[in-house]
């Protein structure tokens, strides 16, 4: 089944946000932190440029698009590519430009499935994403911003590492100083303090050990719970996938009941009226079957046969 015709219950739509963002950032050399940052359409255009080099008019793409009008221009470029490649996927521009996370996540999930199919799950090693963005409006600024964020991240890591080293060194010096301080009063309190310190340390270790055991037990229980949930999810997903395949059969696709089931399967998450619409489809079928006109038509058909 091609990526342009995958159903909403396909495994492609179960890819998480973190995996999607990691894939986009590694493929396009970007630093997106949210899926809605792709709402301008520029990211979608460049993803198509990765799998179909030269097909996208990158000089018409704007990575600096802020207004809906500028974003729509990017989607016009994307739609033009879809038309050239005869891709039947509908682009819901009015929803995507609003920056809603769910809509952009779904479209990115589809994009990943399409790109994986075209490239056989391999990234084009000769594609230079930063260089290709140079010809786009705002592309150079985007590249500088990505480089700046990368440098800032490395500096933060180095600073944190140096701070940890200094803290550890200071603690070590304090411990050394405390341990090397001689007992000046000669009253034998040093031995008593050491024994008390050993007892406290032993008690603390026992508490820590018990706490670790509790955490390990909780983690094990959570892992078992997650495993059971994943099995249950896969079970119901398989059932729904079987139903979807059955409903796509040519000999059944025209039946109203099948259409009602498909309406429920392909409904978006925020469509609260889908059940009512499916019921209305079935009630309309019942009215057509029981209407007097249908009975008269049957009688006429009988007369013609006689």
């Amino acid at each position: 089944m091609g990526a342009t015709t995958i159903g909403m219950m396909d495994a492609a739509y179960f890819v998480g946000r973190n995996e999607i963002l990691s894939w986009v950032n590694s493929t396009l050399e970007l630093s997106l932190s949210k899926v809605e940052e792709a709402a301008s359409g520029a990211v979608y255009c460049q993803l198509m440029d990765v799998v179909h080099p030269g097909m996208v008019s990158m000089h018409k793409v704007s990575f600096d698009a802020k207004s809906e009008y500028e974003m729509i221009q990017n989607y016009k470029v994307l739609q033009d590519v879809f038309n050239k490649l005869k891709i039947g996927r509908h682009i819901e521009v009015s929803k995507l430009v609003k920056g809603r996370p769910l809509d952009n996540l779904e479209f990115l999930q589809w994009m990943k499935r399409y790109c994986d199919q075209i490239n056989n799950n391999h990234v084009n090693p000769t594609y230079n994403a930063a260089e290709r963005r140079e010809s786009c409006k705002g592309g150079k600024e985007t590249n500088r911003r990505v480089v700046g964020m990368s440098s800032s991240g490395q500096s933060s890591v180095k600073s944190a590492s140096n701070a940890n080293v200094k803290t550890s060194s200071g603690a070590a010096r304090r411990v050394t100083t405390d341990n090397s301080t001689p007992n000046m009063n000669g009253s034998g309190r040093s031995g008593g303090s050491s024994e008390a310190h050993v007892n406290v340390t032993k008690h603390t270790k026992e508490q820590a050990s018990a706490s670790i055991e509790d955490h390990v037990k909780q983690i094990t229980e959570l892992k078992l719970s997650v495993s059971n949930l994943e099995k249950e999810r896969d079970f119901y997903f398989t059932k729904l996938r079987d139903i979807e395949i059955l409903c796509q059969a040519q000999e059944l696709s025209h039946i109203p009941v099948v259409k009602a089931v498909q309406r429920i399967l392909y409904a978006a998450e925020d469509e609260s009226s889908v059940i009512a619409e499916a019921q209305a489809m079935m009630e309309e079928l019942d009215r057509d079957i029981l209407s007097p006109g249908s009975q008269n038509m049957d009688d006429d058909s009988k007369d013609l046969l006689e």
Side-chain angles (χ1 to χ4, degrees):
M1 182 184 297
T4 58
T5 57
I6 61 175
M8 286 302 298
M9 296 307 300
D10 191 273
Y13 292 107
F14 288 89
V15 180
R17 300 185 186 207
N18 292 336
E19 184 177 348
I20 285 291
L21 288 172
S22 177
W23 170 73
V24 172
N25 289 335
S26 62
T27 302
L28 302 184
E29 299 176 23
L30 290 173
S31 56
L32 303 186
S33 58
K34 300 177 182 178
V35 293
E36 52 266 38
E37 292 181 49
S40 70
V43 169
Y44 301 132
C45 289
Q46 190 166 15
L47 285 173
M48 293 301 295
D49 187 61
V50 174
V51 293
H52 298 290
M55 186 65 68
V56 182
S57 302
M58 292 296 289
H59 65 281
K60 295 182 180 180
V61 177
S62 174
F63 273 85
D64 196 32
K66 298 293 188 297
S67 65
E68 288 193 11
Y69 172 77
E70 293 174 318
M71 295 179 184
I72 290 174
Q73 300 306 309
N74 286 338
Y75 284 102
K76 286 183 178 180
V77 175
L78 183 64
Q79 185 63 65
D80 182 56
V81 175
F82 276 29
N83 293 339
K84 290 178 181 178
L85 297 173
K86 296 181 180 180
I87 298 175
R89 165 77 187 195
H90 175 61
I91 306 174
E92 296 182 334
V93 179
S94 60
K95 291 184 178 181
L96 293 172
V97 296
K98 298 296 182 183
R100 296 189 348 181
L102 185 61
D103 294 319
N104 282 276
L105 174 61
E106 178 186 319
F107 198 63
L108 280 173
Q109 288 169 330
W110 179 88
M111 272 282 186
K112 184 178 188 305
R113 173 65 178 272
Y114 179 81
C115 293
D116 287 345
Q117 283 191 346
I118 298 298
N119 285 340
N120 293 322
N121 296 321
H122 296 292
V123 178
N124 185 356
T126 62
Y127 186 81
N128 190 326
E131 183 179 335
R132 287 290 290 165
R133 269 196 304 275
E134 291 285 328
S135 61
C136 301
K137 181 181 178 182
K140 294 181 180 180
E141 290 77 7
T142 300
N143 289 340
R144 283 197 291 268
R145 188 163 56 249
V146 171
V147 172
M149 292 180 67
S150 178
S151 300
S152 176
Q154 291 177 358
S155 299
S156 299
V157 171
K158 289 181 179 179
S159 299
S161 177
N162 292 334
N164 289 334
V165 170
K166 290 179 180 179
T167 302
S168 300
S169 299
R173 284 196 297 271
R174 287 195 298 272
V175 170
T176 303
T177 303
D178 293 342
N179 289 339
S180 61
T181 302
N183 183 14
M184 301 299 295
N185 55 19
S187 60
R189 292 181 181 176
S190 176
S193 299
S194 299
E195 184 178 353
H197 178 70
V198 170
N199 291 335
V200 171
T201 303
K202 183 178 179 181
H203 179 67
T204 302
K205 287 183 178 180
E206 290 176 352
Q207 286 183 329
S209 178
S211 177
I212 291 173
E213 289 180 0
D214 290 340
H215 284 117
V216 170
K217 184 178 179 180
Q218 291 177 5
I219 292 172
T220 303
E221 292 176 352
L222 287 173
K223 285 183 177 180
L224 289 174
S225 178
V226 170
S227 178
N228 291 333
L229 288 173
E230 288 178 346
K231 289 179 181 178
E232 185 176 0
R233 180 201 64 187
D234 294 341
F235 173 78
Y236 287 111
F237 171 76
T238 303
K239 295 296 181 184
L240 288 170
R241 184 73 182 109
D242 291 340
I243 293 172
E244 182 186 35
I245 293 174
L246 182 63
C247 291
Q248 289 174 347
Q250 292 183 353
E251 61 270 19
L252 299 176
S253 59
H254 66 283
I255 299 176
V257 176
V258 175
K259 291 181 178 179
V261 172
Q262 287 179 320
R263 180 70 185 91
I264 295 174
L265 281 177
Y266 299 145
E269 187 175 354
D270 57 351
E271 292 188 50
S272 58
S273 61
V274 61
I275 299 297
E277 292 179 14
Q279 290 176 342
M281 294 169 66
M282 297 305 302
E283 291 173 359
E284 184 178 354
L285 172 63
D286 293 340
R287 286 196 297 270
D288 292 341
I289 294 175
L290 299 176
S291 63
S294 299
Q295 294 176 353
N296 293 336
M297 187 179 296
D298 291 340
D299 294 337
D300 294 340
S301 299
K302 291 179 181 180
D303 293 340
L304 289 173
L305 291 174
E306 292 175 355

